[in-house]
Every structure is written in structure tokens, then in C-alpha cells.
Amino acid sequence: DQQVKQNSPSLSVQEGRISILNCDYTNSMFDYFLWYKKYPAEGPTFLISISSIKDKNEDGRFTVFLNKSAKHLSLHIVPSQPGDSAVYFCAASRRTGGGNKLTFGTGTQLKVEL
Amino acid sequence: DTAVSQTPKYLVTQMGNDKSIKCEQNLGHDTMYWYKQDSKKFLKIMFSYNNKELIINETVPNRFSPKSPDKAHLNLHINSLELGDSAVYFCASSLGTGLAGVTGELFFGEGSRLTVL
């Protein structure tokens, strides 16, 4: 049962444009959401997170939006840079009693072209 | 200076063998994890230890035995390796367990790619 889904395995964007990565979840108990970025042959690195009490969190070029009613979140990167080319994983967890047991999506490969 | 380091990075072995993957973190964190990324790219938690105590144990075969000699180390031993064990195994650490209601950021190692022939 895939509780966190990233339906787009890949995305290609031109440098300077906006990248929008999408994520859907099915478990209504999830109340904390994270995005991780992964380069080849490296481990995932934390990018940005959002609590379910918010609908937006911004950090520099990265903004995460949460739509609880639709069980959908998205990561916006603007402007996109070639160094942003990586696999982006969406993850979700339950704060109460869930521990740091993150449930990950399968990732979206972002390619930022010159 | 690597924060979470795993050894070996690559491991190729025959079915039926026993192997270990070691993990060390120098971040001063008290919680460590093992995650498995299979061929379909699913990244799933296997175990979590807090101060050497097991706090998360997903449905993992008994052939997998984690060992935490101290809070900076979490090793993974796998007995009687099977073809389906081929995957990338990621170690991670965090400050706190997240059980108190605050999810801590996880810091991941580079992964150990295990290939069982």
C-alpha cells in the first residue's frame, strides 16, 4: 500500500523557470511533510518541511505548499538552477507517536537544462 | 568530515552468505536508523535505535539483526542472504526520536549497495 505517491518519475525544466514537483498521500494521520533531495551516489539530504497546521512554507528559492483537503503537497523551485538537478523525494510522518518513521514517495528526477 | 558514514559502499556476495554493514555518525545524535531502497526506488524504514534501544522495528525478516554498541554506531548484520535482499541500504541519524511530537530532520549516509548473486 503506497501511502505517499509521486506520480511523475521525471521532470525537465529550463534554467530560470519554475519547477513544480507534486506529491499525494492517502493516510490522513500524516501531519508532517518533508522534501529530500538526492544526488547520485549520495544519501538524501533534507530540503524543506511543512507541518499540517500550515499551508505554505518558504525557504529561499524553495516553497512547499500543502492542501490538506486534497491530501496533496507540492514543491516549487524558482528560479530553477542546473545544480537543482537531482531526485526529489516527498516524505510524510505522524508527529504523535509516529517517531521519525518517514514514509517516502518513489521520487521525481528533476533535470534543469541550460 | 562525513557526518554519517557507512561501510562498505558496495558489497557483492553469494546467496546464503552472512554480511554486515557498519554505520557511524559524528553529529552527536541519539537516534539512528536503517532504511532500505529497493529496485522500485521505494525507501522504507527497517529499524530505529535511540540510545542503543530499539524503538522502531518494521516487519523485517529475522535474518536482519541490527546492533548498536553505542549511540554513535548502528550496524546491520544480515544472515543467509537472499536475492531479494539486493538493495541500497541507507543509515540515518537524528536528534531525538520524534516520539515527543517533534519530527527531527534525518541525516542520511551515502548508502551501501548490496548485490546478492
Side-chain angles (χ1 to χ4, degrees):
Chain A
D1 178 27
Q2 199 178 340
Q3 299 183 65
V4 177
K5 299 179 185 179
Q6 293 176 258
N7 293 319
S8 298
S10 64
L11 175 67
S12 188
V13 171
Q14 277 197 319
E15 182 181 11
R17 299 288 187 104
I18 185 171
S19 295
I20 301 176
L21 297 100
N22 293 304
C23 178
D24 297 292
Y25 62 97
T26 58
N27 189 341
S28 57
M29 299 294 287
F30 288 144
D31 54 12
Y32 196 73
F33 305 90
L34 308 90
W35 284 93
Y36 277 80
K37 176 180 177 180
K38 185 183 180 303
Y39 292 116
E42 293 185 11
T45 55
F46 172 77
L47 194 56
I48 193 169
S49 63
I50 188 167
S51 163
S52 60
I53 62 174
K54 295 185 175 181
D55 55 17
K56 177 183 174 182
N57 188 25
E58 190 173 351
D59 183 3
R61 297 186 297 113
F62 302 91
T63 304
V64 56
F65 295 92
L66 175 63
N67 182 334
K68 280 185 295 183
S69 60
K71 293 192 179 70
H72 176 84
L73 63 154
S74 61
L75 174 68
H76 292 210
I77 307 172
V78 57
S80 301
Q81 299 174 354
D84 296 331
S85 297
V87 177
Y88 289 79
F89 289 97
C90 171
S93 72
R94 287 171 46 200
R95 283 192 166 191
T96 307
N100 283 329
K101 180 180 164 182
L102 300 182
T103 300
F104 282 87
T106 50
T108 296
Q109 172 77 59
L110 173 65
K111 184 177 180 182
V112 180
E113 298 171 323
L114 296 171
Chain B
D1 191 19
T2 305
V4 181
S5 58
Q6 304 178 220
T7 54
K9 287 189 171 43
Y10 300 95
L11 186 53
V12 181
T13 188
Q14 299 285 334
M15 261 196 323
N17 284 349
D18 303 338
K19 290 294 178 185
S20 292
I21 307 172
K22 295 186 177 181
C23 179
E24 176 182 5
Q25 54 94 4
N26 62 6
L27 297 168
H29 289 165
D30 51 9
T31 307
M32 295 185 72
Y33 312 79
W34 278 109
Y35 275 78
K36 176 182 178 181
Q37 185 179 34
D38 61 22
S39 59
K40 294 182 180 178
K41 305 301 181 187
F42 285 108
L43 195 61
K44 291 182 180 177
I45 191 167
M46 300 173 70
F47 302 101
S48 173
Y49 270 75
N50 174 254
N51 281 322
K52 304 192 293 177
E53 181 182 345
L54 181 66
I55 58 171
I56 295 176
N57 184 354
E58 291 297 283
T59 307
V60 178
N62 291 338
R63 299 181 294 103
F64 290 80
S65 52
K67 282 187 172 54
S68 182
D70 55 61
K71 71 176 190 177
H73 295 83
L74 181 62
N75 303 323
L76 183 65
H77 188 76
I78 315 171
N79 289 327
S80 304
L81 279 157
E82 299 178 357
L83 294 176
D85 297 333
S86 295
V88 181
Y89 292 85
F90 287 98
C91 176
S93 72
S94 70
L95 190 62
T97 62
L99 292 171
V102 178
T103 300
E105 176 190 338
L106 266 64
F107 291 78
F108 284 85
E110 295 181 339
S112 296
R113 181 176 292 277
L114 171 65
T115 302
V116 182
L117 302 175

